[in-house]
Amino acid sequence: GENVEQHPSTLSVQEGDSAVIKCTYSDSASNYFPWYKQELGKGPQLIIDIRSNVGEKKDQRIAVTLNKTAKHFSLHITETQPEDSAVYFCAARLSNAGGTSYGKLTFGQGTILTVHP
Amino acid sequence: EPEVTQTPSHQVTQMGQEVILRCVPISNHLYFYWYRQILGQKVEFLVSFYNNEISEKSEIFDDQFSVERPDGSNFTLKIRSTKLEDSAMYFCASSLRVKSGANVLTFGAGSRLTVL
């Protein structure tokens, strides 16, 4: 099955700096890669996602890049703010190919991001 | 903004007891899921549910687990005879549709289960 590895496990930056979190996946059949942010006491919330037919996607201060050949994807947060402090999870989903695996996400270990004012 | 609601937020139970975790998915969503996260480990897929039946389950989801949609709004996860290793945060999620490119999962805040 799919395996997703995420690094680093913790990341500490100063406000205004950029933060980069990297993930690798094992199954080349994966075609959907969401990133979730989890704040204390809340469930994971989708912040950005990318599909395998796209190499990069941006949404304001957040961007995700995908390298299908190397099977890795990264989350980039620019101009970090203290409210960006949270646990970030990457995930991957296998293409359905006639099955029913659309909801089965394989998650990375999570990265605890701390943004210091 | 619509949200997925889970109850209870925390449940403590004795080993061997039955536990039911409840979820109210987003009202127009059709696909429902349970995930769990053991402390310090990855979030893991348990089961997906559509049209009143299980569409996929992981190897974790053995005979001790069951899911049900008893009415038009609730989605439940039952653990028949809890074990110590069932202690985890259980997340419910729902999505509108599974068509490729449109299946965004919305997660609830989780139910923490502690088995003593």
Side-chain angles (χ1 to χ4, degrees):
Chain A
E2 175 63 282
N3 183 48
V4 177
E5 297 295 327
Q6 181 173 347
H7 299 281
S9 55
T10 61
L11 180 59
S12 185
V13 299
Q14 288 296 127
E15 183 176 1
D17 288 351
S18 294
V20 180
I21 302 171
K22 298 181 179 182
C23 289
T24 59
Y25 60 99
S26 61
D27 197 324
S28 56
S30 288
N31 68 348
Y32 173 67
F33 307 93
W35 285 89
Y36 285 86
K37 175 183 180 183
Q38 186 178 22
E39 296 174 286
L40 203 60
K42 297 184 179 180
Q45 290 188 301
L46 181 74
I47 55 171
I48 195 167
D49 57 15
I50 190 167
R51 289 169 177 82
S52 58
N53 57 348
V54 174
E56 183 176 0
K57 184 177 177 180
K58 283 185 180 179
D59 183 3
Q60 300 182 351
R61 296 185 297 109
I62 295 173
V64 57
T65 58
L66 171 66
N67 182 327
K68 284 194 297 181
T69 304
K71 290 189 282 189
H72 66 71
F73 56 112
S74 301
L75 177 71
H76 304 253
I77 306 175
T78 58
E79 300 171 30
T80 53
Q81 300 164 4
E83 50 266 38
D84 294 329
S85 297
V87 181
Y88 290 81
F89 293 98
C90 65
R93 187 186 73 202
L94 290 170
S95 61
N96 200 30
T100 54
S101 295
Y102 283 125
K104 183 181 177 181
L105 297 174
T106 301
F107 282 84
Q109 296 93 326
T111 297
I112 302 172
L113 174 64
T114 304
V115 180
H116 299 282
Chain B
E1 189 172 326
E3 57 181 26
V4 174
T5 306
Q6 290 186 242
T7 54
S9 55
H10 188 194
Q11 179 154 0
V12 181
T13 190
Q14 294 292 323
M15 192 168 55
Q17 294 297 304
E18 176 182 284
V19 160
I20 297 176
L21 305 179
R22 291 181 168 81
C23 171
V24 178
I26 293 173
S27 60
N28 63 339
H29 283 189
L30 302 175
Y31 302 87
F32 315 110
Y33 315 90
W34 285 100
Y35 284 75
R36 80 171 185 190
Q37 184 178 30
I38 296 171
L39 191 64
Q41 298 186 21
K42 295 181 179 183
V43 176
E44 301 172 290
F45 170 80
L46 291 178
V47 66
S48 59
F49 190 87
Y50 168 67
N51 200 26
N52 280 320
E53 60 183 23
I54 291 173
S55 49
E56 189 172 10
K57 60 182 181 179
S58 72
E59 60 276 8
I60 303 168
F61 194 88
D62 62 21
D63 292 344
Q64 291 299 312
F65 291 89
S66 62
V67 289
E68 193 178 32
R69 188 153 163 83
D71 52 43
S73 60
N74 290 284
F75 179 52
T76 62
L77 174 69
K78 182 192 290 186
I79 309 174
R80 265 180 267 282
S81 178
T82 50
K83 307 184 191 74
L84 295 176
E85 54 265 36
D86 293 328
S87 295
M89 179 72 89
Y90 289 81
F91 292 107
C92 174
S94 67
S95 66
L96 183 58
R97 57 183 176 172
V98 290
K99 188 175 180 181
S100 181
N103 191 31
V104 175
L105 271 65
T106 301
F107 283 83
S111 292
R112 179 166 297 286
L113 176 64
T114 302
V115 182
L116 303 176

